[in-house]
Amino acid sequence: MRKFEAKQLIKQAYQAWDAEDWLRAASRFEQVLAHFPDEKQSAVWWYDAALAYKFLRNWQKAYDLGREAAARAPRGEGDPAYWNLGIAATIQREWATARDAWTGFGIDVPDGEGELVGRFGNACVRLDSGGEREVVWIERLCPTRGRVVNVPVTGGRRYGEIVVHDGVPNGERIVDGTTYPVFDELMLFEASDLPTLEVTVHAGESADLEALVDRSLSTASGRSPRAACGCCAPAAARAPTSRNGPWWRAPSRCRWRLRSRRRGGCRSDGRGRW
C-alpha cells in the first residue's frame, strides 16, 4: 500500500466516523495500520479503531486494538488509550492487562493478581435495560465496575448485581453538598441471585409511613444511599431529600429491601421493593 492510498483510506475512515458507521471506520483504520503500524499518526489510528469497536460492543477487537494503542501512549499521564483498554480488559476478564492499564493511566490500584476488587468510592450508574433507563447507586470496585447498592425499580435488575460502566460521566447527582458522577452502563458483568419483591403500602398520615420505616430499622443492618430517579435527564440534578425516602438494607438472611416514597416523586408513592 502506498501512502497516498493510505491517506484516502484514512479520509474514508473519518467520513464513516462522522456518519457513526463504526464498522466501516474501524475496518479502514485496520487496513492502513496493517501496512503503517508505527507512523507518526498511527497511535491515533490505533486508538480510534479500538474506540470504534468499543462503540460496537465488540470487546475482543476493542481489547486487541486497545493494547496496540496503549503500547504507543505515554504512561502515567491520563492517556485515554489506557482507560479504554482497562474497560475492554475488564470485560474480557484479562485482569493482568486491566491492572496494568489503570496503572498506565495513572491510577493507584491495590497490589495483587487476578480480579481487581477495591474501594473506589460511590457513584451512580444509568442502567439501560432494553431502552428502559434508571439511575442507581453503586459502590465502585474498580475504575469501571460497581456493585448496585439499592433495589432497582426496573424489572429484571437486582440489588447486588455488578455492572460495567463507561469512563466519561454523563450527568451528576448532588446529595448533602457532595457531587457524585453518573455513568452510563456498558453491560451487566455479574448477575445477582437476590430476589426482589414488591408491595404497595397505603399510609393515611406521614407519621404512619415514618413508623413503618422506623420499625424496619429494628432488623436493618444499615442504610443505603437515597435512590436517584431514573427519569432525570443526563444533567446535574439535586437529590430531593423530601421526595425520595431512604433504602434500608436488611441482613442477608432476610433478603428484603424497603424504600419509602413521598407523593410528588417521579413514580407513584407508597410502593416498597424488597
Side-chain angles (χ1 to χ4, degrees):
M1 179 183 293
R2 298 179 181 180
K3 285 195 173 183
F4 80 88
E5 294 175 312
K7 289 181 179 180
Q8 288 299 314
L9 287 173
I10 293 298
K11 182 179 180 180
Q12 292 174 19
Y14 283 116
Q15 288 174 341
W17 189 282
D18 292 339
E20 298 186 1
D21 186 348
W22 309 122
L23 184 58
R24 179 178 174 84
S27 65
R28 294 297 184 269
F29 286 128
E30 287 186 281
Q31 284 180 262
V32 174
L33 290 166
H35 297 274
F36 302 102
D38 292 302
E39 294 294 309
K40 184 177 180 180
Q41 293 297 315
S42 292
V44 176
W45 301 334
W46 284 113
Y47 173 82
D48 287 343
L51 184 59
Y53 280 117
K54 176 193 170 189
F55 293 153
L56 290 168
R57 303 297 191 260
N58 185 332
W59 298 113
Q60 183 63 58
K61 293 288 287 186
Y63 174 76
D64 293 338
L65 298 180
R67 293 185 67 183
E68 297 289 348
R72 294 162 175 80
R75 294 183 67 86
E77 298 181 11
D79 194 292
Y82 289 105
W83 196 284
N84 284 340
L85 175 59
I87 292 174
T90 296
I91 291 174
Q92 295 297 106
R93 300 177 188 268
E94 296 285 352
W95 299 115
T97 302
R99 286 173 176 271
D100 183 71
W102 302 130
T103 302
F105 185 83
I107 298 174
D108 292 330
V109 298
D111 295 332
E113 298 179 352
E115 183 175 355
L116 177 56
V117 179
R119 295 179 179 273
F120 289 80
N122 294 320
C124 294
V125 167
R126 185 175 291 104
L127 302 180
D128 190 348
S129 305
E132 187 174 357
R133 296 185 176 184
E134 175 186 359
V135 175
V136 297
W137 289 90
I138 61 167
E139 292 176 347
R140 301 180 75 185
L141 306 176
C142 77
T144 194
R145 282 161 48 246
R147 187 186 307 276
V148 176
V149 294
N150 60 268
V151 182
V153 175
T154 304
R157 307 308 299 260
R158 291 183 169 185
Y159 171 93
E161 64 187 22
I162 298 175
V163 298
V164 177
H165 61 75
D166 210 347
V168 179
N170 185 17
E172 60 186 23
R173 295 292 183 268
I174 303 171
V175 179
D176 297 331
T178 301
T179 301
Y180 298 89
V182 179
F183 298 99
D184 289 328
E185 179 187 26
L186 291 177
M187 65 173 289
L188 174 63
F189 186 79
E190 184 177 314
S192 170
D193 60 358
L194 290 175
T196 301
L197 305 177
E198 182 174 335
V199 298
T200 299
V201 177
H202 298 281
E205 302 290 339
S206 60
D208 297 332
L209 190 57
E210 295 296 339
L212 177 61
V213 173
D214 290 340
R215 185 172 186 129
S216 71
L217 286 175
S218 63
T219 56
S221 60
R223 175 176 174 174
S224 67
R226 288 182 174 87
C229 56
C231 59
C232 292
R238 186 173 303 276
T241 57
S242 63
R243 292 186 179 179
N244 290 312
W247 287 87
W248 301 108
R249 185 182 308 168
S252 58
R253 65 180 181 275
C254 299
R255 292 192 174 184
W256 62 272
R257 305 291 182 271
L258 170 65
R259 181 176 71 179
S260 63
R261 290 202 186 99
R262 303 292 181 79
R263 187 173 300 279
C266 296
R267 299 176 186 267
S268 61
D269 62 327
R271 176 175 295 176
R273 291 174 72 87
W274 282 262

